[in-house]
């Protein structure tokens, strides 16, 4: 492809994306394909000769697009969102066009300095304490792994890096913690069995007294507590672990505190949601994902640390070929994360924050929370639906229950209701399990979701319920 052809196709594709934004609701939100459908339409071999863009583009439309699940669909209520926005797409495009690899300051001073500045904007927007230093990681999973590695080194006086892991190390998180903690335990060499999962209260939040007991018991057994992971917005129900109490315990026992606010952290940009981060003065590291609920397309995860020296000491490498004359004056982000090479992700974040402004972002987040509140009110008004967890931001956990079925039957019926809901192809919800109860999750966070889609969701849920109950009674 020469430049002229790139220009033509670029115009065409931007037009296509703009049309996609306009009419994404015309696609089935969840892809209809069966396993293997896409693969069997693709060539088993790479092409020997370059192909015409016209043909590649046609195949994109005919083969790839049917296999796409439309995360930007306004009927997206599944998992957590991974939303984008026009400004973020343009920022991403520029970043791809520049093709910058920002491993050290010199390889693109703007990439490093913009990242520093934009992350500090985020820190201010969320009301995180002054003195935290930010860096972009690809995902919250990576950020948490980086935190576990730093906690490991801090706990072992930086010996594990040199000599291998001290097997007595323990990590603590609630029973509702995200699976990335478990994965991080495996990768960082702690071993999965050394993750101590602490019981939760009726709101699915970690019980501080149980945490303290676990710390004491482990110390008595000669174990070494290395890290506590508190979650602000658990994946199943957006439960909020009590940060002030947990932080106080961590301080008393000298344990590293990592806070995982992957989804719900964004809500802290609202003044009325500032209490989510109460106790932030205790944290050693913190992560939240602009790629979930801040209109910045995947991937972009904001990671903050109190003492960057500890992070750098954990991850620094300094081969001759990477040394530069400016190393003592600048941040070289290669030492703030796992990978050496780094994309210019700050650009899209900068575009998004400038395009919306803080007020624009607040307005959208507030709207999502209000829509979730409306939906939760509707659930509560139904005589045969119930809420299964408190609504803390914009995720509603609920199920059908007319109080005349066993838990096992309820799980089956609710599973069938969810399947029926998703057969509508107009909305997409997913599920979780709360204390063994099959739970339907409806999360509002897609950029274009409005009251209209929430109303539509209510109608579809009602209809799905009726159809499932008719078939149950017919059995
Ligand atoms: N932490 C929590 C609380 C999450 O809900 C999720 C994903 O939903 C993650 C971590 C992992 O996020 P990522 O996909 O950025 O690794």
């Amino acid at each position: 492809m020469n430049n002229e052809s790139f220009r033509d196709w670029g115009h065409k594709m931007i037009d296509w994306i703009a049309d996609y934004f306009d009419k994404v609701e015309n696609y089935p939100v969840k892809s209809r394909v069966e396993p293997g459908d896409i693969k069997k339409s693709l060539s088993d071999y790479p092409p020997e000769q370059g192909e015409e863009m016209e043909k590649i583009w046609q195949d994109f439309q005919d083969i790839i697009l049917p296999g796409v699940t439309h995360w930007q669909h306004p009927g997206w209520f599944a998992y957590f969102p991974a939303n984008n926005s026009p400004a973020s797409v343009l920022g991403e495009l520029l970043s791809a066009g520049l093709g910058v690899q920002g491993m050290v300051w010199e390889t693109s001073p703007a990439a490093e300095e913009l990242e520093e500045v934009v992350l500090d904007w985020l820190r201010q927007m969320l009301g995180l304490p002054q003195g935290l230093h930010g860096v972009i990681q690809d995902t919250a999973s990576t950020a948490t792994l980086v935190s576990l590695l730093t906690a490991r080194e801090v706990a072992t006086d930086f010996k594990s890096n040199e000599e291998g892991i001290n097997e007595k190390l323990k990590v603590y998180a609630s029973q509702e913690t995200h699976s990335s903690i478990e994965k991080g335990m495996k990768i960082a060499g702690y071993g999965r069995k050394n993750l101590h999962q602490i019981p939760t209260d009726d709101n699915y939040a970690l019980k501080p007294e149980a945490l303290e007991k676990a710390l004491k018991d482990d110390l008595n057994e000669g174990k070494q507590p290395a890290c506590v992971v508190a979650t602000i917005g658990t994946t199943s129900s957006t439960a909020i672990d009590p940060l002030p109490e947990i932080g106080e315990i961590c301080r008393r026992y000298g344990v590293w505190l990592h806070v995982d606010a992957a989804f719900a952290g964004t809500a802290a940009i609202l003044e009325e949601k500032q209490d989510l981060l109460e106790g932030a003065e205790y944290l050693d590291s913190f992560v939240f994902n602009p790629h979930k609920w801040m209109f910045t397309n995947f991937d972009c995860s904001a990671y903050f640390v109190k003492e960057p020296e500890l992070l750098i000491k954990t991850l620094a490498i300094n081969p001759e070929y990477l040394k530069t004359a400016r190393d003592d004056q600048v941040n070289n982000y290669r030492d703030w994360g796992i990978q050496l090479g780094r994309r210019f992700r700050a650009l899209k974040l900068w575009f998004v924050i400038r395009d919306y402004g803080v007020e624009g972002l607040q307005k959208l987040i507030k709207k999502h929370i209000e829509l979730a509140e409306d939906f939760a009110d509707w659930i509560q008004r139904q005589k045969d639906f119930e809420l299964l967890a408190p609504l803390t931001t914009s995720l509603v956990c609920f199920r059908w229950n007319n109080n005349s079925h066993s838990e096992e039957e309820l799980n089956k019926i609710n599973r069938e209701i969810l399947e029926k809901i998703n057969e509508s192809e107009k909305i997409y919800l997913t599920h979780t399990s709360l204390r063994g109860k099959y739970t339907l999750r409806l999360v509002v966070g897609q950029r274009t979701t409005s009251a209209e889609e929430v109303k539509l969701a209510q109608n579809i849920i009602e209809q799905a319920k009726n159809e499932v109950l008719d078939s149950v009674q017919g059995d």
Side-chain angles (χ1 to χ4, degrees):
M1 185 184 288
N2 60 27
N3 270 349
E4 258 333 286
S5 164
F6 168 75
R7 191 184 305 280
D8 289 346
W9 279 103
H11 284 293
K12 205 164 162 174
M13 287 189 195
I14 289 286
D15 277 346
W16 186 89
I17 296 171
D19 289 343
Y20 178 74
F21 285 159
D22 270 347
K23 61 175 173 47
V24 55
E25 59 270 26
N26 295 342
Y27 292 93
V29 56
K30 186 167 174 251
S31 168
R32 293 178 184 138
V33 300
E34 293 296 326
D37 278 358
I38 304 295
K39 262 199 295 193
K40 77 176 175 238
S41 309
L42 296 167
S43 164
D44 287 337
Y45 308 99
E48 285 297 330
Q49 266 83 46
E51 298 183 71
E52 288 300 316
M53 189 41 97
E54 193 67 54
K55 168 123 188 4
I56 304 173
W57 180 239
Q58 198 56 51
D59 284 351
F60 164 75
Q61 316 237 22
D62 299 343
I63 304 172
I64 304 300
L65 210 45
V68 169
T69 287
H70 297 279
W71 285 71
Q72 309 313 317
H73 194 295
W76 184 274
F77 297 111
Y79 304 102
F80 281 137
N83 53 34
N84 68 8
S85 59
S88 91
V89 173
L90 293 178
E92 184 78 288
L93 186 63
L94 275 183
S95 161
L98 293 171
V100 156
Q101 200 277 57
M103 59 186 169
V104 295
W105 180 85
E106 242 178 51
T107 58
S108 258
E112 189 278 311
E113 294 188 16
L114 186 65
E115 186 161 332
E116 227 178 287
V117 168
V118 173
L119 272 271
D120 199 62
W121 286 5
L122 282 184
R123 182 194 63 73
Q124 296 170 46
M125 287 159 65
L126 265 65
L128 285 166
Q130 258 184 349
L132 287 186
H133 301 264
V135 59
I136 299 178
Q137 306 282 356
D138 52 9
T139 58
S141 303
T142 303
T144 294
L145 172 60
V146 163
S147 178
L148 287 170
L149 291 168
T150 315
R152 185 192 75 189
E153 290 313 303
V154 169
T156 59
D157 206 14
F158 290 87
K159 286 209 184 73
S160 304
N161 262 349
E162 303 303 322
E163 297 163 16
I165 185 115
N166 170 350
E167 77 222 12
K168 287 184 296 187
L169 295 182
K170 283 271 178 186
V171 174
Y172 306 79
S174 93
Q175 284 169 343
E176 293 290 323
T177 201
H178 187 259
S179 54
S180 56
I181 318 304
E182 192 184 325
K183 198 183 254 186
M185 295 291 290
K186 298 204 281 184
I187 303 171
Y190 288 89
R192 190 162 40 183
K193 76 171 198 298
N194 291 312
L195 175 61
H196 202 134
Q197 293 204 261
I198 309 295
T200 54
D201 63 17
D202 292 345
N203 294 332
Y204 304 101
L206 180 146
K207 284 183 176 168
E209 63 283 8
L211 171 65
E212 180 152 19
K213 181 172 180 317
L215 286 165
K216 272 191 191 145
D217 290 350
D218 284 344
L219 283 167
N220 285 339
E221 284 178 27
K223 304 276 184 351
Q224 190 180 354
C227 179
V228 172
V229 181
T231 310
I232 300 300
T234 57
T235 313
S236 281
S237 71
T238 51
I240 311 295
D241 287 345
L243 210 45
E245 288 93 329
I246 296 172
E248 199 273 322
I249 294 171
C250 287
R251 186 163 288 178
R252 219 156 6 92
Y253 285 79
V255 182
W256 182 271
L257 174 58
H258 174 60
V259 175
D260 175 3
F263 169 71
T266 300
I269 67 170
L270 299 177
E271 195 147 340
E272 62 273 27
K273 289 286 176 192
Q274 267 292 297
D275 56 343
L276 287 173
L277 297 185
E278 207 184 306
E281 66 277 14
Y282 291 108
L283 63 84
D284 293 291
S285 57
F286 174 91
V287 63
F288 94 101
N289 283 345
H291 70 222
K292 277 189 160 60
W293 198 16
M294 209 183 255
F295 319 106
T296 307
N297 62 285
F298 197 87
D299 52 5
C300 184
S301 188
Y303 181 57
F304 293 89
V305 288
K306 196 191 264 173
E307 295 178 74
E309 319 75 63
L310 299 176
L311 170 61
I312 293 167
K313 200 166 165 194
T314 302
L315 298 176
I317 34 96
N318 204 12
E320 191 56 37
Y321 48 79
L322 290 178
K323 288 181 183 158
T324 73
R326 309 299 181 91
D327 286 349
D328 54 354
Q329 298 164 39
V330 296
N331 282 338
N332 285 325
Y333 278 135
R334 66 155 198 257
D335 290 333
W336 292 55
I338 290 166
Q339 65 208 91
L340 168 63
R342 307 183 79 251
R343 306 202 303 117
F344 193 175
R345 280 177 291 226
L347 202 54
K348 61 186 172 189
L349 194 51
W350 189 53
F351 270 45
V352 170
I353 300 173
R354 293 188 65 184
D355 179 52
Y356 281 99
V358 177
E359 281 180 15
L361 292 170
Q362 286 169 328
K363 219 165 125 187
L364 258 181
I365 299 300
K366 202 179 168 77
K367 183 184 90 175
H368 290 161
I369 292 174
E370 283 167 3
L371 290 174
E373 285 167 355
D374 291 347
F375 180 78
D377 280 350
W378 178 77
I379 289 287
Q380 280 181 305
R381 288 198 308 275
Q382 309 306 301
K383 61 179 187 325
D384 52 358
F385 276 102
E386 62 180 350
L387 291 180
L388 292 181
L391 172 59
T392 59
T393 50
S394 73
L395 165 65
V396 184
C397 291
F398 66 101
R399 71 171 176 177
W400 176 83
N401 181 7
N402 69 349
N403 294 316
S404 58
H405 289 270
S406 68
E407 283 298 323
E408 201 181 325
E409 286 165 343
L410 283 175
N411 285 353
K412 181 170 176 292
I413 294 170
N414 278 288
R415 187 177 306 115
E416 286 171 10
I417 292 176
L418 181 64
E419 276 164 20
K420 270 270 174 283
I421 291 170
N422 289 337
E423 275 171 23
S424 76
E425 301 191 338
K426 299 203 172 322
I427 60 169
Y428 183 22
L429 273 66
T430 48
H431 80 283
T432 190
S433 173
L434 290 171
R435 304 257 197 274
K437 294 175 183 164
Y438 190 91
T439 305
L440 280 67
R441 292 168 81 264
L442 181 142
V443 56
V444 185
Q446 213 298 312
R447 174 171 59 93
T448 53
T449 299
S450 66
E452 198 181 319
E453 283 79 29
V454 174
K455 180 84 193 125
L456 178 68
Q458 291 166 2
N459 293 340
I460 291 172
I461 291 167
E462 182 68 22
Q463 194 181 333
K465 172 201 80 175
N466 290 335
E467 285 176 30
V468 169
L469 293 183
D470 282 352
S471 75
V472 168
Q473 274 148 17
D475 283 349

